[in-house]
Amino acid sequence: MRGNLQGRCMLGLLVTGIIATNFALGEWSSDPTARTPVCTADYAQGFPRLTRVEGGFVATWQDMRREGTHEDIYAQKIGRNGEMLWPQNGRVIAEGPAGSLVHEWQASFGLVNDGTSGALIVWHDYYKPGWSYWQAFASRVSSDAAVAWGDPGQPIQAPDTATPLMANSEPGANPLSARWDIVGDSEGGAFIPVSDGLGRFSADGRLRTNWFHDPADVPAGSRVGKRLVPVIGSDGRDGVVVVWPQGWIGSSLTDSILARKLVDPETAWPDDSDSIVDAWGRLSIFDPDYSVTVCSLSAVPDGAAGVIVVWIDDRVRLDTNYFRVYAQRVGPDGKPL
């Protein structure tokens, strides 16, 4: 993750291609030599993310302004006219070690519109030298830059809180994959993958539902939750389409590419856990004659209650040793088109 120079591009370079402003005037700039400085703090900023929210955009990044010895998560809200709406150089989201954080490094792993004018941010507290400790958290930042979400209310830096995305009882054994997506729902919460499945979190950060325990989807020796890839919002934002490669622990080989459409029909969360409706059942998008290596699996809504899935695989490797790109559209009824 760290050795990728392109991934470590400064936040200002990302914004060069997306947002162009005159910082002093708070207006979009047409000057290609002077773009928007979202953050000019000392030391490096990297791994930026951007999402559109009501009234503008929210950007997050990893920030080493603390003497280059700590890596923290910061965020900035940018108005439609290019003005910086939160504190200069951004608002800290996660700063470690502080509160329940253990290590000096935090990594940005997800950003999504919360359905209003704020954002939901997923990040890791991790141990850099050995890459052996990964604890995932989710934070909510509101339009006024207030940060909250605490279940069970563990402090990050007072008075802020974050939700630890726990799947294993051992802290530090709860990583998220960089391939995962998160999507906001219609009630200010989000669908967020956790290590053993897919969780729906309420607007105050409580886990409503944890799904992915169908034995047909988890063969012996498999850890399907660790390989879960995009989660795509469906119509109404109260359901998701989940796409994943069916494989085995310690192996890149894939036996099939599967999908399910899960709908959570409740408009208000009851006292007990949500019920989930499986709209399609288990859908096979790709079922090769022999195991293949599947990479870069991704998907997007097709605008008609279905999805389009794209990936690369090496099904022709015996002939050419090449990977090739494939795509498949799935209709709203779960039938490949």
Side-chain angles (χ1 to χ4, degrees), residues 230 243 257 285 294-300 308-312 325-328:
V243 182
I257 297 175
I285 295 177
V294 171
C295 303
S296 303
L297 179 64
S298 186
V300 294
I308 298 173
V309 185
V310 66
W311 70 94
I312 63 172
V325 182
Y326 300 88
Q328 179 63 51

Side-chain angles (χ1 to χ4, degrees), residues 36-325:
T36 307
V38 174
C39 179
T40 57
D42 291 339
Y43 298 97
Q45 293 86 43
F47 294 100
R49 295 176 182 268
L50 188 72
T51 189
R52 180 162 44 168
V53 301
E54 183 179 321
F57 309 88
V58 170
T60 60
W61 64 92
Q62 293 167 214
D63 195 299
M64 299 192 72
R65 69 182 65 183
R66 289 199 289 161
E67 305 302 322
T69 58
H70 291 66
E71 190 165 64
D72 306 317
I73 304 297
Y74 276 75
Q76 178 62 267
K77 186 172 182 180
I78 305 158
R80 291 173 179 164
N81 294 323
E83 67 274 26
M84 301 297 128
L85 301 178
W86 291 347
Q88 183 177 359
N89 289 330
R91 192 259 192 254
V92 65
I93 302 298
E95 184 179 68
S100 64
L101 297 185
V102 176
H103 292 289
E104 292 84 3
W105 299 279
Q106 281 70 53
S108 174
F109 265 68
L111 174 67
V112 71
N113 183 333
D114 70 353
T116 59
S117 53
L120 304 177
I121 301 166
V122 176
W123 49 274
H124 279 115
D125 178 33
Y126 74 102
Y127 182 59
K128 180 174 65 172
W131 306 97
S132 57
Y133 179 99
W134 291 90
Q135 182 59 58
F137 290 84
S139 297
R140 180 189 182 102
V141 57
S142 63
S143 60
D144 62 356
V147 174
W149 266 26
D151 181 12
Q154 299 182 19
I156 302 303
Q157 58 273 337
D160 296 343
T161 57
T163 299
L165 302 181
M166 299 289 289
N168 298 302
S169 59
E170 180 183 356
N174 294 277
L176 289 181
S177 167
R179 298 176 299 175
W180 278 340
D181 247 337
I182 63 175
V183 291
D185 67 12
S186 65
E187 300 174 36
F191 293 92
I192 302 175
V194 293
S195 291
D196 66 343
L198 172 68
R200 184 178 184 182
F201 288 81
S202 65
D204 60 357
R206 291 182 292 164
L207 183 63
R208 295 175 56 151
T209 306
N210 187 13
W211 173 86
F212 223 108
H213 300 290
D214 188 328
D217 296 330
V218 190
S222 177
R223 188 181 297 169
V224 69
K226 300 287 284 186
R227 295 170 61 83
L228 200 65
V229 270
V231 180
I232 303 99
S234 69
D235 292 349
R237 303 185 79 185
D238 283 317
V240 291
V241 175
V242 189
V243 182
W244 73 96
Q246 186 80 321
W248 302 87
I249 294 176
S251 173
S252 62
L253 294 180
T254 294
D255 297 324
S256 58
I257 297 175
L258 302 176
R260 285 185 182 269
K261 182 176 182 178
L262 308 174
V263 180
D264 183 354
E266 295 160 314
T267 57
W269 189 28
D271 293 334
D272 51 3
S273 297
D274 271 355
S275 60
I276 291 289
V277 175
D278 192 335
W280 291 346
R282 188 170 183 261
L283 170 65
S284 178
I285 295 177
F286 175 48
D287 189 6
D289 293 334
Y290 53 88
S291 295
V292 299
T293 300
V294 171
C295 303
S296 303
L297 179 64
S298 186
V300 294
D302 68 354
V307 297
I308 298 173
V309 185
V310 66
W311 70 94
I312 63 172
D313 68 51
D314 64 344
R315 70 183 75 177
V316 294
R317 65 182 182 276
L318 297 178
D319 300 322
T320 63
N321 200 33
Y322 293 152
F323 282 81
R324 289 179 174 156
V325 182

